[in-house]
Amino acid sequence: MRLAKNGDEGLLFAREDRPALVMSDIQMPLMNGYDLCREIKRDEALLKLPVILVSSLSEPEDILEALNVGADSYITNPMLKPIC
């Protein structure tokens, strides 16, 4: 298992390691989780790689966007929501 600091690094790790699964937050620097998922699903070598997006974003449009970019699942995590 590798932990990426941002979406760009996550895509690089996916291409290098060919993991069994990618779990990603949506709100990340450099490349957000939607864009990361989109890039994974565009890559012939990674096309079948399952991507699960995890986020505090829970509005229907957030979930629809995840599905539109090819996410295999979407998990809302209330623990990630800001307190203030």
Side-chain angles (χ1 to χ4, degrees), residues 21-32:
L21 170 73
V22 169
M23 289 186 74
S24 175
D25 192 357
I26 290 174
Q27 298 171 307
M28 298 185 294
L30 303 181
M31 178 189 297
N32 67 37

Side-chain angles (χ1 to χ4, degrees), residues 14-84:
R15 288 179 171 150
E16 287 177 355
D17 298 341
R18 307 292 164 102
L21 170 73
V22 169
M23 289 186 74
S24 175
D25 192 357
I26 290 174
Q27 298 171 307
M28 298 185 294
L30 303 181
M31 178 189 297
N32 67 37
Y34 295 133
D35 292 335
L36 172 61
C37 182
R38 186 180 293 112
E39 290 302 314
I40 287 172
K41 298 301 181 174
R42 284 182 183 163
D43 188 319
E44 282 287 320
L46 301 175
L47 178 63
K48 295 184 181 187
L49 176 62
V51 177
I52 299 173
L53 295 178
V54 181
S55 181
S56 64
L57 302 174
S58 60
E59 296 299 320
E61 57 269 11
D62 301 316
I63 298 166
L64 286 173
E65 179 65 16
L67 297 174
N68 286 336
V69 298
D72 296 280
S73 189
Y74 187 95
I75 300 171
T76 56
N77 186 345
M79 299 303 288
L80 298 175
K81 289 188 178 187
I83 294 174
C84 51

